[in-house]
């Protein structure tokens, strides 16, 4: 459309740290959207781009001018603006003069919120050209971006993440004449540094739609998602050439796509002698030190002696980049091999006393104290779950010893993993070393839980000590604040209980955790217990949502009990199977009615069926017998579904609170027993 144009804004800077790129583009997009709404400027959408030296935004279909704005100005009451003869008073004329109109344009009506008719003037404000609005707004929006580590250069007062070297700003074909930190906007930009060694002049951009291709021709892929897609394809291709596959790491792939302008994956090699190191050590060392991927066999077991990295250019003449990476990587792997060999000279058991020197939390003591609490919780869980008590105690005792090793000192993310590897080399039982190796899992919502029951037990014990300990000293997550990641730990515990199918109530688990941290607690036990149960109930509700149960199923099932996750899961599965049955909608209405009738009553469980008189209530009593005899959730729900029609008929034919005391008591007891049957599976009054 001729009255619509695209805005293109690019800030070309010195190298920007990767962690700032996405937040800055999102921050500007949010700020621009808010500004445009305030100015009544609609647009099609914002497409942000970023690369190591560029932040840019393409805002499509902005109108060339604001629409005219109509404003209603309300003045004094009508009785003050005109006299009895209908002629304008002095006050009425002054109101018209104030808004620059003749009194004949003033009309009288009763605006919302007013008690009587008032003088009203309708004014039309002509919309301003969008170009003028952009000139005023863009410098202010850029200056208002949130930069965690903002800096200034020279004598400038402008603060930003890095110095701005070029500003490209086009509205259609027109340059928007703005200035950012002394740099005036133009219709040109700069490509890759190597490109400009042969082409010293800036790149001219005639119109916004040419921007992406113009930069691509100059060696810069400005779209992050496109760079990521290119890199992923190149990495997979290079790995396949070795007969293996890339060890997946989405975070590392994002990082590599952020730190280059021209994506080019390279494959290097390292000496096979380093393959004696555990897989996790090689993967972590390559990632942390070289931002490189490992290649594994296609069955996902062992690694191959290759690595994949990325260069910020489309070629590697003479192989210097590959050789340089191989040289640095070899030195890093020598360090890792030294750490691995040195650590194995001292058994983990002999490192336990050193845990006294390592503080877990100022109010919760050292890691040795935490280890002792984990032991107490783990052995309690082993008894409850009928797992090997001695193995649980031994694994818990050694679970944190690797914190004092050289390898974990170099790579903290390998804690637990190295403990398991060292215990394996020491000849410990598989159940023990695997439990130690996996006890930090799951570390995220996508991460798998420990693969063994003993690993799950140790993971629950470790996370429960952290959660219960923090609650006991009053460090409870609030709002978006959760510095110790207690919510993540709570979700991890819930997932393990859910996926392992352990018949262990969350209430019992909470009591076990609070008992272990009792000597460090500074808050009253009842208050802490109540807060912890509320915390875990929220995690269980989240687990039901993740499992995909419908809202009606979740609400009605949670309302009658959530602590036994095995029972809760069975009820949710059964309810989900019947969720589409329309009879449950009728049952929900009847359940609410029963609740209202019994609200102020205290009926007995027993009742004399012979007292019942009406056919409908006798039929309902017969249904009650079948419901109470149901032995599983599915049978019970099927019987409840059959109850919908008889229950509706009962309410149509029967006055429950009749004058006859015996009959009234029998009818109330019948409904009481029915409600108890409902409550074996769900609170149907919440089924909506």
């Amino acid at each position: 459309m001729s009255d619509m144009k695209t805005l293109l804004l690019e800030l070309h800077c010195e190298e920007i740290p990767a962690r700032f790129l996405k937040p800055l583009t999102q921050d500007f997009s949010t700020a621009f959207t808010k500004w445009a709404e305030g100015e009544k400027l609609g647009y099609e959408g914002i497409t942000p781009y970023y690369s190591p030296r560029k932040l840019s935004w393409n805002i499509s279909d902005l109108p060339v001018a604001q629409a005219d704005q109509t404003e209603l100005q309300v003045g004094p009451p009508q009785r003050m603006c005109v006299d009895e003869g209908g002629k304008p008073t002095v006050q009425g004329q002054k109101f018209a003069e104030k808004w620059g109109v003749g009194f004949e344009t003033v009309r009288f009506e009763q605006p919302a919120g007013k008690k009587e008719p008032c003088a009203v003037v309708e004014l039309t404000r002509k919309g301003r050209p969008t170009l003028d609005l952009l000139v005023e707004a863009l410098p202010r929006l850029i200056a208002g971006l949130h930069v965690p580590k903002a800096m200034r250069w020279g004598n400038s007062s402008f603060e930003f993440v890095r110095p701005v070297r070029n500003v490209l700003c086009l509205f259609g074909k027109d340059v928007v004449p703005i200035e950012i930190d002394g740099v005036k906007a133009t219709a040109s930009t700069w490509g890759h540094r190597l490109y400009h060694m042969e082409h010293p002049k800036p790149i001219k951009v005639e119109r916004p739609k040419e921007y992406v291709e113009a930069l691509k021709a100059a060696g810069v892929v400005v779209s992050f998602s496109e760079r990521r897609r290119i890199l992923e394809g190149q990495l997979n291709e290079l790995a396949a050439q070795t007969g293996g596959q890339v060890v997946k790491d989405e975070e590392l792939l994002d990082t590599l796509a952020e730190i280059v302008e021209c994506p080019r994956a390279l494959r290097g090699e390292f000496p096979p002698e380093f393959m004696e190191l555990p897989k996790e050590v090689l993967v972590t060392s390559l990632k942390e030190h070289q931002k490189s991927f490992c290649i594994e066999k296609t069955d996902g077991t062992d690694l191959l002696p290759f690595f994949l990295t990325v260069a910020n250019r489309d070629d590697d003449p003479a192989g210097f980049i590959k050789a340089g990476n191989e040289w640095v990587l070899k030195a890093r792997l020598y360090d890792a091999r030294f750490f691995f060999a040195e650590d194995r000279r001292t058994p983990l058991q002999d490192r336990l006393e050193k845990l006294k020197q390592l503080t877990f939390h100022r109010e919760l003591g050292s890691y040795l104290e935490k280890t002792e609490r984990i032991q107490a919780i783990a052995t309690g869980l082993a008894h409850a779950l009928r797992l090997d008590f001695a193995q649980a105690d031994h694994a818990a005792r050694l679970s944190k010893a690797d914190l004092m090793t050289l390898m974990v000192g170099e790579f903290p993310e390998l804690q637990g993993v190295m403990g398991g590897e060292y215990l394996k080399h020491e000849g410990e039982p598989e159940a023990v070393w695997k439990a130690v190796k996996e006890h930090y899992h799951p570390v995220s919502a996508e991460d798998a839980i420990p693969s063994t029951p003993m690993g799950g037990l140790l993971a629950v014990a470790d996370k429960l000590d952290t959660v219960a300990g923090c609650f006991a000293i009053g460090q409870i997550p609030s709002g978006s604040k959760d510095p110790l990641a207690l919510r993540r730990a709570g979700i991890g515990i819930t997932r393990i209980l859910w996926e392992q199918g352990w018949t262990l109530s969350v209430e019992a688990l909470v009591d076990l955790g609070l008992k272990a941290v009792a000597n460090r607690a500074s808050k009253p036990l009842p208050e802490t217990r109540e807060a912890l149960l509320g915390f875990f109930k929220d995690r269980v509700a989240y687990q039901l949502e993740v499992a995909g149960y419908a809202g009606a199923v979740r609400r009605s099932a949670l309302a009658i009990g959530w602590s036994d996750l095995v029972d809760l899961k069975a009820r949710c599965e059964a309810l989900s199977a019947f969720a589409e049955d329309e009879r449950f909608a009728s049952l929900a209405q009847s359940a609410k009615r029963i609740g209202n009738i019994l609200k102020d009553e205290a009926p007995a469980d027993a009742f004399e069926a012979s007292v019942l008189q009406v056919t409908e209530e006798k039929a309902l009593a017969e249904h009650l017998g079948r419901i109470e005899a149901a032995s599983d959730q599915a049978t019970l729900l099927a019987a409840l579904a059959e109850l919908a029609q008889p229950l509706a008929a009962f309410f149509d034919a029967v006055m429950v609170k009749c004058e006859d005391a015996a009959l009234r008591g029998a009818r109330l007891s019948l409904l009481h027993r029915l409600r108890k049957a409902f409550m074996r599976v769900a609170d149907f009054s919440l089924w909506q």
Side-chain angles (χ1 to χ4, degrees):
M1 295 176 64
S2 60
D3 58 346
M4 296 288 183
K5 292 183 179 180
T6 295
L7 171 66
L8 173 64
L9 170 64
E10 181 206 79
L11 303 179
H12 179 85
C13 307
E14 292 187 7
E15 212 87 10
I16 302 172
R19 66 185 183 278
F20 295 144
L21 293 169
K22 186 176 181 179
L24 282 170
T25 55
Q26 290 177 333
D27 196 10
F28 180 86
S29 298
T30 301
F32 186 89
T33 299
K34 185 176 180 180
W35 169 79
E37 288 174 353
E39 297 292 344
K40 304 294 190 295
L41 287 172
Y43 58 89
E44 181 67 24
I46 300 180
T47 303
Y49 300 109
Y50 57 84
S51 65
R53 296 185 298 151
K54 295 182 183 296
L55 300 168
S56 59
W57 301 267
N58 184 297
I59 303 162
S60 59
D61 287 348
L62 266 171
V64 296
Q66 287 177 312
D68 292 345
Q69 305 293 314
T70 300
E71 299 176 351
L72 210 62
Q73 300 296 338
V74 179
Q78 181 177 357
R79 56 184 169 78
M80 299 174 66
C81 294
V82 292
D83 60 21
E84 294 179 357
K87 293 182 179 180
T89 63
V90 173
Q91 191 165 0
Q93 289 178 335
K94 285 186 176 180
F95 170 70
E97 291 172 3
K98 175 182 178 181
W99 298 108
V101 298
F103 188 80
E104 65 277 4
T105 64
V106 176
R107 66 177 189 265
F108 297 98
E109 59 185 51
Q110 188 170 337
K114 298 293 184 179
K115 296 181 179 179
E116 58 182 307
C118 297
V120 173
V121 171
E122 189 174 279
L123 302 175
T124 299
R125 179 166 61 88
K126 187 171 179 57
R128 297 177 61 195
T130 300
L131 186 64
D132 293 347
L133 295 171
L134 292 171
V135 170
E136 295 173 3
L138 291 179
R140 174 172 50 82
L141 294 177
I142 294 168
L145 293 178
H146 174 66
V147 181
K149 293 185 178 180
M151 293 178 276
R152 291 184 290 114
W153 294 268
N155 298 321
S156 172
S157 61
F158 179 77
E159 293 185 347
F160 203 55
V161 60
R162 288 294 184 270
V164 177
R165 297 307 186 199
N166 188 80
V167 178
L168 164 64
C169 195
L170 293 175
F171 186 49
K173 291 185 176 182
D174 301 320
V175 173
V176 182
I178 61 173
E179 185 175 312
I180 307 297
D181 196 22
V183 180
K184 293 182 179 179
T186 66
S188 61
T189 184
W190 295 88
H192 196 281
R193 288 189 176 96
L194 294 180
Y195 173 84
H196 287 292
M197 291 178 68
E198 298 181 7
H199 308 82
K201 293 183 179 180
I203 304 159
K204 184 74 174 176
V205 180
E206 296 288 345
R207 52 179 63 86
K209 68 179 183 180
E210 299 174 359
Y211 173 69
V212 172
E213 289 303 317
L215 278 175
K216 190 173 183 180
V220 175
V221 178
V222 75
S223 167
F224 164 77
S225 58
E226 179 66 8
R227 293 196 304 275
R228 192 183 192 280
R229 185 192 64 77
I230 293 171
L231 272 178
E232 187 171 23
Q234 293 175 348
L235 292 168
N236 289 333
E237 182 180 351
L238 289 173
Q241 291 172 5
T242 69
Q245 63 186 14
V246 180
V247 176
K248 297 295 183 183
D249 189 327
E250 299 298 321
E251 180 185 24
L252 179 57
L253 182 57
D254 286 346
T255 299
L256 292 178
E258 286 173 337
I259 63 176
V260 296
E261 292 180 318
C262 179
R264 173 63 183 269
L266 300 173
R267 185 179 66 237
E269 302 177 21
F270 58 84
E273 63 195 72
F274 293 112
M275 299 295 290
E276 68 179 28
L277 291 169
K279 179 179 180 179
E280 294 86 355
V281 172
L282 288 169
V283 170
T284 303
S285 181
L286 266 66
K287 175 181 179 179
E288 295 302 317
H289 286 148
Q290 291 300 108
K291 298 289 188 292
S292 299
F293 283 92
C294 285
I295 300 177
E296 63 187 0
K297 294 180 179 177
T298 53
D299 61 4
T301 54
D302 298 331
L303 296 179
L304 298 174
F306 302 100
F307 68 92
L308 299 168
T309 189
V310 64
N312 189 25
R313 56 185 296 166
D314 61 4
D315 59 0
D316 182 16
F320 288 138
I321 300 176
K322 173 179 177 292
N325 275 277
E326 289 177 340
W327 182 80
V328 174
L329 182 62
K330 187 185 298 185
R332 294 295 190 182
L333 292 180
Y334 273 120
D335 289 343
R337 190 169 66 174
F338 169 77
F339 295 149
F340 189 59
E342 193 68 16
D343 284 342
R344 284 183 293 163
R345 296 177 61 181
T346 304
L348 284 187
Q349 179 76 29
D350 295 347
R351 299 179 187 272
L352 289 176
E353 282 300 309
K354 292 183 178 180
L355 290 175
K356 287 181 179 179
Q357 306 165 16
L358 192 61
T359 300
F360 166 61
H361 188 282
R362 180 171 52 85
E363 296 181 58
L364 295 173
S366 68
Y367 265 95
L368 183 59
E369 291 174 89
K370 179 175 176 63
T371 298
E372 291 166 351
R373 293 195 298 269
I374 294 174
Q375 281 183 268
I377 296 172
T379 52
L381 287 173
H383 279 305
L385 298 172
R386 298 182 180 178
L387 295 176
D388 190 301
F389 174 88
Q391 284 188 345
D393 181 69
H394 190 51
R397 179 171 173 75
L398 296 173
S399 61
K400 302 299 177 184
D402 68 347
L403 295 176
M404 305 309 297
T405 62
L406 293 172
M407 189 70 80
V408 173
E410 179 72 10
F411 302 113
E413 57 270 45
L414 288 178
Q415 54 191 284
V417 171
M418 295 316 303
E421 287 294 332
Y422 293 145
L423 290 174
K424 181 180 179 181
H425 281 277
E426 292 174 19
E428 292 287 352
E430 183 177 359
V432 172
W433 68 257
K434 273 193 173 180
V436 172
K437 186 172 184 175
E438 297 181 331
H439 83 277
Y440 284 96
H441 294 281
V443 295
S444 67
E446 298 77 26
D447 189 28
I449 67 169
S451 62
T452 66
M454 191 61 69
L457 178 148
L458 189 56
V460 169
D462 180 28
K463 297 179 198 312
L464 182 60
D465 171 70
T466 300
V467 173
C470 289
F471 271 68
I473 61 174
Q475 292 203 3
I476 300 175
S478 60
S480 60
K481 295 182 179 179
D482 186 11
L484 295 172
L486 300 185
R487 292 190 183 97
R488 187 172 64 191
I491 290 171
I493 292 170
T494 304
R495 279 189 57 202
I496 293 170
L497 295 180
W498 181 270
E499 295 180 32
Q500 286 283 1
W502 285 338
T503 54
L504 176 70
S505 77
V506 177
E507 289 188 7
L509 198 66
V510 165
D511 290 336
L512 188 61
L514 290 176
K515 181 180 178 182
V517 301
N519 66 332
R520 285 283 182 173
S522 59
K523 298 295 180 182
L525 178 60
E527 174 188 315
T528 303
R529 187 176 189 274
E530 182 181 358
L532 258 180
L533 289 175
F535 171 81
F536 276 109
K537 185 177 181 180
D538 289 343
R539 309 287 84 74
V540 171
Y542 174 74
Q543 180 61 43
L544 293 186
E545 186 176 351
V546 170
Y549 297 116
V553 171
R554 300 198 305 269
R555 285 190 301 272
S556 57
L558 280 169
I560 66 163
W562 59 272
S563 182
D564 184 341
L565 299 192
V566 173
D567 173 68
L568 178 62
K569 187 175 185 179
R571 287 189 285 115
C572 286
E573 289 292 327
L575 284 167
S576 295
F578 287 87
E580 300 303 320
D581 194 321
E582 62 183 17
R583 291 173 294 181
F584 279 97
S586 172
L587 202 63
Q589 294 302 317
S590 296
K592 292 178 183 177
R593 193 166 180 179
I594 291 173
N596 291 332
I597 292 171
L598 298 178
K599 185 165 56 176
D600 298 319
E601 302 289 344
D605 280 341
F607 69 93
E608 183 58 55
S610 61
V611 175
L612 301 176
Q613 299 176 352
V614 183
T615 301
E616 287 80 2
E617 62 188 350
K618 292 179 180 179
L620 193 60
E622 292 178 7
H623 275 281
L624 174 63
R626 290 194 290 274
I627 291 170
E628 292 182 332
S631 58
D632 59 75
Q633 304 289 0
T635 305
L636 174 58
L637 278 170
L640 286 174
E642 294 296 331
L643 182 66
Q645 191 279 327
L647 194 52
F650 169 84
F651 282 123
D652 287 340
V654 172
M655 172 68 72
V656 177
K657 296 185 178 181
C658 60
E659 296 296 330
D660 186 325
L663 183 57
R664 172 192 174 105
R667 288 171 174 172
L668 288 172
S669 293
L670 173 60
L671 294 181
H672 172 61
R673 292 265 291 275
L674 281 171
R675 184 168 67 171
K676 288 180 66 177
F678 291 165
M679 291 300 184
R680 285 172 55 189
V681 61
D683 182 351
F684 286 99
S685 67
L686 300 176
W687 188 274
Q688 53 186 340

